Amino acid sequence: KATPKARRILTSLIQHIHDFTRENHITVDEWMFGVDFINRIGQMSDARRNEGILVSDVVGLEALVDTLTHASDSVGHTSSAIIGPFYRDNSPEYPYGGSIIQKEVGGEKTWVSGIVTDTNGKPLAGAKIEVWHCAPNGLYEQQDPDQPDYNLRGTFYADEQGKYAFIGLRPTAYPIPYDGPAGDLLQMMDRHPMRPGHIHWRVSHPEFHTLITQIYDRDCKYTKDDSVFAVKDDIIVDFKKVASDDKELGDKGVQNRLDYD
Ligand code: DHB
Ligand code: FE
């Protein structure tokens, strides 16, 4: 039995679909085009590819839902961002400063560090930090037969000061998969499929709300022009070159550094 909210939403949805159909004089052929389009979204989707999310995202729906969901959050924490279609749970756990690069895939090594706090600024020891990003060829490991399972993904736990750090790659801009319905939509609208270089975060703790977010590279030209509208100002960050004589980091062959609260 539907909840009152579910009933209200469904009624509204049907009203809006009818209004849309009337306003645009949708014909039988056009309706059938829409039905085929929706069916194709399902047919394109599997464990490796979530075409429903991709289609949502190119029309800005996930970004809108993210903004609405978190609009009333108390201030003083990092902005949320969309989860996107490529999250996987159970990524390997690494110690503080561990590398999520399981296989050399090129790119610039980057030291990423941060601190997890509650909204009062108190360090949150034991918070679980999951990160994931794609390889310089633009593919997440599950899309790419040449990458080992869980490459460029990792799970970390915040220490007593709330701190964590890892070595990954400076993320590269890349096209979202555009050989399906999401790509067709982009083409119809004369739009590019590029996302700015980004790293994903999922930060959780049993006693707190989970934060899903991303960081974006200020130097990437697509940070101002994201195909899925998911950039927010406070999660744009600067990557800094580390001097080669920086003992602590140089030993790990790191080229960039990113400190993030
Ligand atoms: C989308 C988001 C991502 O983070 C990504 O890597 C690919 C696609 C998206 O919103 O569709
Ligand atoms: Fe992504």
Side-chain angles (χ1 to χ4, degrees):
K1 196 90 178 3
T3 62
K5 184 176 180 189
R7 273 173 184 278
R8 198 172 68 237
I9 291 173
L10 188 58
T11 305
S12 168
L13 178 66
I14 292 166
Q15 264 166 13
H16 279 85
I17 290 173
H18 281 223
D19 287 346
F20 163 84
T21 304
R22 261 190 299 272
E23 274 171 33
N24 294 285
H25 299 274
I26 299 298
T27 64
V28 171
D29 287 349
E30 287 161 348
W31 163 77
M32 203 59 211
F33 177 91
V35 169
D36 286 340
F37 188 85
I38 289 170
N39 287 340
R40 215 149 54 83
I41 294 172
Q43 287 152 7
M44 289 288 302
S45 296
D46 58 27
R48 298 215 161 85
R49 174 151 177 177
N50 192 325
E51 194 70 21
I53 293 186
L54 285 168
V55 167
S56 276
D57 291 1
V58 300
V59 298
L61 200 56
E62 192 183 358
L64 174 59
V65 168
D66 165 55
T67 300
L68 292 171
T69 303
H70 300 105
S72 59
D73 284 9
S74 55
V75 287
H77 70 78
T78 304
S79 283
S80 60
I82 66 174
I83 192 164
F86 296 121
Y87 171 72
R88 286 180 75 191
D89 62 5
N90 292 314
S91 63
E93 289 177 19
Y94 297 106
Y96 183 92
S99 173
I100 61 173
I101 309 164
Q102 293 186 40
K103 179 187 175 186
E104 198 54 59
V105 285
E108 292 178 82
K109 288 205 173 63
T110 299
W111 173 264
V112 183
S113 66
I115 175 162
V116 183
T117 70
D118 67 16
T119 49
N120 297 316
K122 186 170 151 287
L124 211 58
K128 180 180 181 180
I129 297 120
E130 295 165 272
V131 295
W132 65 105
H133 69 74
C134 68
N137 67 359
L139 297 174
Y140 286 84
E141 47 83 24
Q142 74 265 52
Q143 302 175 277
D144 185 357
D146 293 333
Q147 288 181 60
D149 212 27
Y150 286 104
N151 193 38
L152 306 177
R153 295 175 188 271
T155 299
F156 299 83
Y157 288 92
D159 69 13
E160 287 307 311
Q161 285 102 49
K163 290 183 176 167
Y164 67 94
F166 65 93
I167 294 170
L169 297 173
R170 183 173 188 165
T172 28
Y174 80 102
I176 67 167
Y178 61 96
D179 56 343
D184 293 353
L185 283 181
L186 288 170
Q187 203 168 33
M188 284 186 244
M189 293 184 280
D190 266 327
R191 282 170 43 199
H192 69 72
M194 299 302 289
R195 289 221 69 209
H198 62 280
I199 304 176
H200 294 269
W201 260 256
R202 183 177 185 279
V203 183
S204 55
H205 185 288
E207 290 154 35
F208 290 82
H209 288 293
T210 296
L211 175 68
I212 291 164
T213 190
Q214 309 186 16
I215 55 93
Y216 300 98
D217 185 344
R218 192 181 315 280
D219 290 343
C220 179
K221 73 171 185 176
Y222 294 106
T223 293
K224 288 195 173 66
D225 186 19
D226 179 8
S227 58
V228 299
F229 313 101
V231 177
K232 296 177 184 175
D233 284 346
D234 70 306
I235 45 179
I236 300 173
V237 301
D238 295 295
F239 288 76
K240 296 174 193 138
K241 281 274 179 258
V242 175
S244 57
D245 60 359
D246 186 321
K247 186 83 179 66
E248 187 199 345
L249 304 173
D251 284 352
K252 295 178 178 139
V254 168
Q255 293 158 314
N256 295 302
R257 181 179 187 119
L258 169 64
D259 290 299
Y260 191 61
D261 295 330

